[in-house]
Amino acid sequence: MIASIAWKNVWRNKPRSLIVICSITLGTVAGVFVAGLMNGWVDQRIKDVIYTQMSHIKLRNPNYLINEESQYTISDYQQITSFIDTASEVKNWCSRLTIMAMATTSRGSCGLILKGIDPENEKRVSNIQELILPGGGNYFGEQTKLPPVLIGDKAAELLRIKSFRIDDRVLDSLRKLQLPETTINKLKQIADIRFVTDRKFKKALNSCLTSAEIRKYGPYIIDLAKYYHPKAKITFSFTNAKGELSYQTFQVCGIFKTSNSTFDQSSAFVQSSVLSMAAGFGENAFHEIAILLKNGDSDLIPFSEKLSNTFNNANVMTWKKMAPDAGLMADFMNFYYFMIMGIIFFALAFGIINTMMMAILERIKELGMLMAIGMSKRKVFSMIMLETVFLTLIGSILGMLLGAALIGITGRVGLNFASIAEGFEAIGYSAVVYPSISSSFFIGVTVMVIVIGILSSIIPARKALKQNPVESLRIE
Amino acid sequence: MKVIEIKHIVKIYTEAELEVIAVNGVSLDFDEGEFTAIVGPSGSGKTTLLNMIGGLDNPSSGEILIGGMSITSLKGSELTNFRMRNIGFVFQSYNLIPVLTAKENTEFVMNLQGKSKRECETRSLELLKAVGLEERVNARPAKLSGGQQQRVAVARALAAKPKFVLADEPTANLDSKATETLLEIREKLNRKENITFIFSTHDNRVVKKARRVITLEDGKILSDIKKNGSD
Ligand SMILES: Nc1ncnc2c1ncn2[C@@H]1O[C@H](COP(=O)(O)OP(=O)(O)OP(=O)(O)O)[C@@H](O)[C@H]1O
Ligand SMILES: [Mg+2]
């Protein structure tokens, strides 16, 4: 009965209640969406860190960490691999050679890490094969004259094997995309000129198109004009197992692009059999073993400890240690989200208290009457508390529904931060964010809202209880 | 049988270092089924006396026994609980909860007492019928006239079967027609339920109907007249 009266009391002054409810709704939507955006970001980064770059756990020679020289391969390789082969926690694993190398083409050069992998095993641990760009070849698929290498988009740019050119084919495709003829005519000014970097091509576009045209058609033009030189040859120089300088020339078979441009610049994948031969390593010489766990959350620490206790000669590192920023975020994410919500609700609490105070003050006589006819203080208190909680809950539930819908929509479509993307991609965050949030977040927020409602009701409720029924009935 | 026994109660208010003796040594008894009107000029202490009988206020000295039990020693929540179980109240105004219907208002105290839904329903409908509002059971107070609101308040006061009903100037805001109706209803209920009623009033029509008239002046009893056969 108290609850039903409290509920009806919420709607006594509709405009006033609706104003508070609206402000709570808006605050909740904002908080939920910001949390969803952050979560989407961090989630993508963590997935990227685990599935593209680090895997869950890596084993390496401790000396390799101090000095990345190719001689420091993993000792006890066979014992370790037979151990992880039988460990129930392990989903998949693969081993890699990682050798610092200088890549050179006839037009450019860059330093990177040459990773010798077994293409089949690698697929089970990392998703690199899914990240091959359209028009960028394939994952060790075709037969090449020279051994194949997979390089990143950024490295391709530095090595000048990526270029941009507007030719008749590009113009034709743009026509099919129904670009206005005026725009296409403008593009003819820069037709058949080869631009070897992103920057130079964008600059050229800027000079001949209006900014509105670039905003509208820019991505399509860049995509179509982009051109990778198939089967370009790259010579890598590196120190071999004996400490001498060696050379090996590879042919590009595929170009990948992750959301981390630093990774794209600094990694190149080749077959470990080729690299091992070229660098003079034995059969079981590898620099790292990457392990993917079945349960990456709960087994991460226990299994890594188990490994490091079993193999004293190996350094065992979890992804949280290898990418501390992402690890920290993964651990504190929830705390951040609740902090955002907490700050928003703290601010809203003042509005709630104010509204409830008004509601109490205009009902002083009625409350006096209720206490006079025998409603206990406890019941009066619960009535006011419930009123506050209802008010807060209506607003926040509406806000959560709207926020969830917003996250649902943007999470499917993705939010493109392309205009500021280069900065994000450089630090490992994707330019397109897919907001997401777990359902436990909403449970947490609901609990939080109830607590805030209860806390905000204390001041108004105390005000109501201080009234002496005789006094309040006397006032005319 | 004595429902209420008042033993020499005094109520002194201190305001700005000035003592106001609102009730000055009043001793009274009320019998079961009695209908008493308390009259007297404004400021004579009628409201103060009723509040003390109703356990809303404590006397400065003296004792009040209800059903043989002293209420002057009860504290806070005990007193609230006591009021809820034993006393029906009708105030001059602000009697009803605006968000509840006539029926829900009537059931309110019964609900507080923890009576079953069915019991509440039967009793409230019976009483609303008795006060002539069987057609307005689902109306909210704002949709009722002042007289109708007071009748709902009487129904609510009686619904929980109190030992007695206290009404402080219940007809002050009513016109003569509504006052007549309320008095008739009171009479009918008094006969039916044999409940003790104490009204404070300035209204002669109420005084005429009462079986006992107590006149207060300056907090003292000026006269206490029991009429016979006027009911
Ligand atoms: N809370 C209070 N503080 C100070 N004085 C009070 C208080 N309540 C009542 N009084 C005083 O006590 C006296 C009796 O007041 P009371 O309200 O009981 O009179 P009343 O007979 O009900 O008058 P009315 O017919 O106007 O309702 C008055 O002089 C009043 O000023
Ligand atoms: Mg009075």
Side-chain angles (χ1 to χ4, degrees):
Chain A
M1 177 193 55
I2 301 289
S4 114
I5 296 176
W7 174 258
K8 287 171 182 161
N9 279 338
V10 170
W11 302 110
R12 263 167 99 148
N13 189 328
K14 276 203 188 101
R16 192 175 59 203
S17 295
L18 284 176
I19 287 170
V20 201
I21 289 170
C22 278
S23 66
I24 298 171
T25 305
L26 287 178
T28 314
V29 170
V32 166
F33 187 66
V34 167
L37 198 62
M38 265 175 75
N39 190 50
W41 234 330
V42 171
D43 249 17
Q44 264 163 283
R45 165 94 170 115
I46 289 171
K47 275 201 188 111
D48 201 47
V49 163
I50 295 174
Y51 295 100
T52 311
Q53 304 170 30
M54 310 286 185
S55 69
H56 283 126
I57 296 173
K58 261 188 197 176
L59 281 111
R60 283 173 293 189
N61 184 326
N63 290 324
Y64 185 85
L65 296 179
I66 300 162
N67 189 349
E68 291 170 335
E69 276 180 35
S70 40
Q71 69 193 74
Y72 298 127
T73 54
I74 296 172
S75 21
D76 309 329
Y77 179 77
Q78 268 173 327
Q79 286 96 304
I80 295 173
T81 53
S82 60
F83 180 86
I84 49 183
D85 259 335
T86 53
S88 61
E89 293 95 332
V90 175
K91 191 173 166 201
N92 280 311
W93 64 273
C94 69
S95 37
R96 300 177 187 133
L97 281 162
T98 52
I99 298 174
M100 304 287 276
M102 191 69 187
T104 329
T105 62
S106 49
R107 298 182 211 91
S109 65
C110 72
L112 43 66
I113 300 168
L114 205 48
K115 298 183 174 174
I117 57 164
D118 177 83
E120 280 312 302
N121 281 340
E122 185 71 21
K123 263 199 228 172
R124 295 190 200 112
V125 177
S126 94
N127 61 357
I128 197 76
Q129 92 282 356
E130 293 163 13
L131 300 171
I132 306 286
L133 287 170
N138 54 50
Y139 180 78
F140 297 106
E142 274 168 73
Q143 215 47 55
T144 41
K145 268 202 222 106
L146 291 167
V149 61
L150 204 62
I151 63 165
D153 176 62
K154 193 80 188 168
E157 201 179 305
L158 292 171
L159 295 170
R160 302 278 192 268
I161 53 178
K162 169 184 172 184
S163 57
F164 299 88
R165 184 162 61 187
I166 294 188
D167 53 19
D168 290 341
R169 180 190 56 86
V170 174
L171 291 174
D172 268 355
S173 317
L174 287 173
R175 258 186 216 107
K176 273 187 205 132
L177 284 172
Q178 317 225 302
L179 254 72
E181 202 58 38
T182 51
T183 313
I184 287 172
N185 282 333
K186 283 187 207 164
L187 282 173
K188 280 181 181 160
Q189 292 171 37
I190 53 166
D192 294 323
I193 305 172
R194 206 172 141 236
F195 300 93
V196 288
T197 63
D198 249 46
R199 277 240 317 277
K200 283 181 186 160
F201 184 60
K202 280 181 189 163
K203 221 162 129 192
L205 284 181
N206 271 325
S207 68
C208 65
L209 299 182
T210 65
S211 55
E213 284 171 322
I214 290 180
R215 222 175 304 125
K216 217 162 160 195
Y217 311 118
Y220 301 107
I221 299 170
I222 292 172
D223 224 39
L224 285 165
K226 191 165 63 183
Y227 175 77
Y228 295 101
H229 297 249
K231 304 195 175 156
K233 289 174 187 138
I234 307 175
T235 303
F236 290 89
S237 53
F238 46 84
T239 325
N240 67 16
K242 288 187 207 121
E244 296 157 351
L245 203 61
S246 315
Y247 300 89
Q248 174 69 46
T249 304
F250 293 88
Q251 237 175 333
V252 174
C253 69
I255 291 170
F256 62 85
K257 189 172 194 302
T258 68
S259 56
N260 186 336
S261 56
T262 312
F263 183 82
D264 294 349
Q265 184 184 327
S266 64
S267 315
F269 295 89
V270 297
Q271 284 154 323
S272 57
S273 51
V274 177
L275 187 60
S276 162
M277 189 107 81
F281 283 109
E283 201 188 332
N284 283 327
F286 287 101
H287 294 108
E288 66 180 36
I289 296 172
I291 300 170
L292 214 53
L293 298 173
K294 281 178 192 146
N295 194 333
D297 288 328
S298 58
D299 285 342
L300 187 69
I301 303 298
F303 189 65
S304 71
E305 276 168 5
K306 199 156 127 192
L307 281 173
S308 55
N309 291 339
T310 320
F311 303 104
N312 295 322
N313 289 334
N315 170 283
V316 180
M317 261 205 205
T318 63
W319 67 270
K320 285 187 182 178
K321 279 236 183 74
M322 293 185 277
D325 62 316
L328 201 70
M329 288 216 192
D331 292 339
F332 286 98
M333 236 160 28
N334 282 323
F335 175 73
Y336 285 141
Y337 306 153
F338 285 118
M339 211 160 76
I340 296 173
M341 295 314 288
I343 291 168
I344 289 174
F345 284 128
F346 181 75
L348 289 172
F350 290 95
I352 301 167
I353 292 173
N354 183 47
T355 305
M356 285 310 293
M357 271 321 244
M358 290 203 284
I360 298 303
L361 287 174
E362 67 185 24
R363 299 215 307 259
I364 284 294
K365 273 179 176 295
E366 183 186 325
L367 290 165
M369 178 274 293
L370 288 174
M371 290 191 268
I373 65 173
M375 189 165 172
S376 66
K377 291 200 167 197
R378 204 170 49 83
K379 285 199 167 125
V380 173
F381 194 100
S382 359
M383 181 176 81
I384 290 161
M385 203 181 72
L386 280 171
E387 255 177 78
T388 323
V389 171
F390 285 151
L391 197 65
T392 324
L393 264 182
I394 299 168
S396 58
I397 286 175
L398 272 178
M400 284 191 278
L401 288 176
L402 285 177
L406 205 58
I407 289 178
I409 294 166
T410 54
R412 199 161 309 140
V413 182
L415 285 179
N416 200 336
F417 289 86
S419 53
I420 38 174
E422 266 176 73
F424 283 121
E425 293 196 338
I427 56 167
Y429 289 87
S430 170
V432 182
V433 179
Y434 297 89
S436 71
I437 201 86
S438 67
S439 51
S440 63
F441 172 73
F442 291 108
I443 297 169
V445 172
T446 309
V447 172
M448 197 155 153
V449 165
I450 294 173
V451 171
I452 299 273
I454 292 173
L455 290 180
S456 324
S457 72
I458 290 175
I459 298 173
R462 278 174 59 113
K463 175 87 191 162
L465 292 182
K466 261 202 214 131
Q467 297 305 315
N468 174 336
V470 181
E471 294 294 321
S472 43
L473 282 167
R474 172 185 285 276
I475 314 161
E476 276 309 319
Chain B
M1 206 205 126
K2 287 190 180 65
V3 182
I4 306 166
E5 293 168 77
I6 300 171
K7 292 180 179 165
H8 203 79
I9 54 167
V10 175
K11 179 73 187 180
I12 302 171
Y13 290 111
T14 321
E15 204 165 283
E17 317 233 318
L18 218 74
E19 287 196 342
V20 180
I21 306 174
V23 172
N24 193 355
V26 169
S27 296
L28 281 169
D29 292 341
F30 293 94
D31 286 331
E32 196 171 47
E34 213 172 59
F35 175 33
T36 307
I38 297 178
V39 297
S42 183
S44 57
K46 305 179 295 289
T47 299
T48 310
L49 178 62
L50 283 186
N51 283 346
M52 287 189 291
I53 300 173
L56 292 169
D57 214 347
N58 275 319
S60 308
S61 70
E63 202 179 20
I64 299 168
L65 301 174
I66 288 172
M69 193 185 109
S70 167
I71 62 159
T72 23
S73 57
L74 291 178
K75 287 263 162 326
S77 61
E78 292 170 335
L79 206 53
T80 311
N81 197 34
F82 182 86
R83 287 199 298 270
M84 183 255 285
R85 301 210 172 275
N86 300 289
I87 310 170
F89 287 93
V90 179
F91 302 100
Q92 187 179 324
S93 52
Y94 297 100
N95 266 302
L96 305 176
I97 304 167
V99 295
L100 299 185
T101 63
K103 178 170 160 285
E104 288 163 340
N105 265 295
T106 311
E107 290 170 1
F108 186 76
V109 181
M110 278 190 279
N111 259 316
L112 288 179
Q113 291 176 338
K115 295 258 162 66
S116 77
K117 212 174 157 211
R118 273 205 35 207
E119 197 179 340
C120 290
E121 192 136 310
T122 334
R123 179 83 175 140
S124 64
L125 289 177
E126 171 194 326
L127 279 162
L128 284 171
K129 196 167 173 206
V131 299
L133 288 174
E134 65 265 49
E135 260 149 40
R136 308 306 309 273
V137 287
N138 290 321
R140 298 229 176 146
K143 296 271 156 72
L144 298 173
S145 72
Q148 288 172 328
Q149 288 180 30
Q150 288 305 73
R151 274 139 69 185
V152 177
V154 170
R156 192 227 13 235
L158 285 170
K161 301 202 169 142
K163 290 205 170 66
F164 57 93
V165 173
L166 294 177
D168 191 7
E169 305 197 34
T171 61
N173 295 338
L174 303 185
D175 60 24
S176 47
K177 179 96 197 315
T179 305
E180 283 310 327
T181 319
L182 194 73
L183 286 170
E184 274 162 32
I185 285 164
R186 191 219 61 79
E187 230 175 275
K188 197 168 81 187
L189 289 170
N190 189 244
R191 223 174 286 133
K192 196 166 148 236
E193 313 235 339
N194 196 30
I195 280 193
T196 313
F197 278 86
I198 306 173
F199 279 31
S200 87
T201 189
H202 284 288
D203 195 326
N204 267 328
R205 286 166 303 219
V206 180
V207 177
K208 262 188 247 154
K209 288 277 180 183
R211 255 185 284 175
R212 180 181 176 190
V213 180
I214 296 167
T215 313
L216 286 184
E217 204 174 273
D218 291 333
K220 287 186 176 148
I221 297 172
L222 196 68
S223 64
D224 182 352
I225 301 159
K226 285 187 190 167
K227 298 183 255 180
N228 278 322
S230 75
D231 211 348

